Amino acid sequence: MRVESILKPAIDLNNGLYHSEDILRELVSGQYQLFVSEHSALVTTVNPYPRGTVLHLFLAGGNLEELEQLYLESEKYARYMNCKSITLSGRLGWQKTFLKEYGMKPSCIHMSKEL
């Protein structure tokens, strides 16, 4: 399965802020990282802050079993990059997934309003 079709549902939730070609451009530039399995994909970005870096889980699609393995790969990458934490902004359903088994917990609320 093509990565673009796996990530399309997640990309479509962004209120038109980016398209597939934007994601590809950032992947090619090295700004985003791509973790892929047979039927799933995860896109991350390393965000620098004054007191450390954070790996942000940006886009994900596919099945939860494969995404769990991709998450574990991304966590290894975060440690390699000396990140202080991992963040995710997504639908509330992510709280009920494997992520809680790895210590991920809600830390804030992300709100938006389309103009």
Side-chain angles (χ1 to χ4, degrees), residues 62-80:
N63 70 60
L64 285 178
E65 293 81 19
E66 289 183 5
L67 285 170
E68 182 173 4
Q69 294 308 307
L70 296 179
Y71 168 78
L72 293 173
E73 288 179 36
S74 73
E75 186 173 307
K76 287 178 189 174
Y77 178 73
R79 291 181 191 284
Y80 171 78

Side-chain angles (χ1 to χ4, degrees), residues 51-100:
R51 307 260 180 234
T53 56
V54 173
L55 183 76
H56 183 67
L57 308 179
F58 180 54
L59 294 169
N63 70 60
L64 285 178
E65 293 81 19
E66 289 183 5
L67 285 170
E68 182 173 4
Q69 294 308 307
L70 296 179
Y71 168 78
L72 293 173
E73 288 179 36
S74 73
E75 186 173 307
K76 287 178 189 174
Y77 178 73
R79 291 181 191 284
Y80 171 78
M81 296 299 293
N82 295 314
C83 293
K84 293 184 95 170
S85 64
I86 298 174
T87 60
L88 167 133
S89 295
R91 293 182 279 180
L92 294 175
W94 280 107
Q95 295 178 79
K96 300 175 186 172
T97 68
F98 61 85
L99 291 173
K100 63 184 174 189

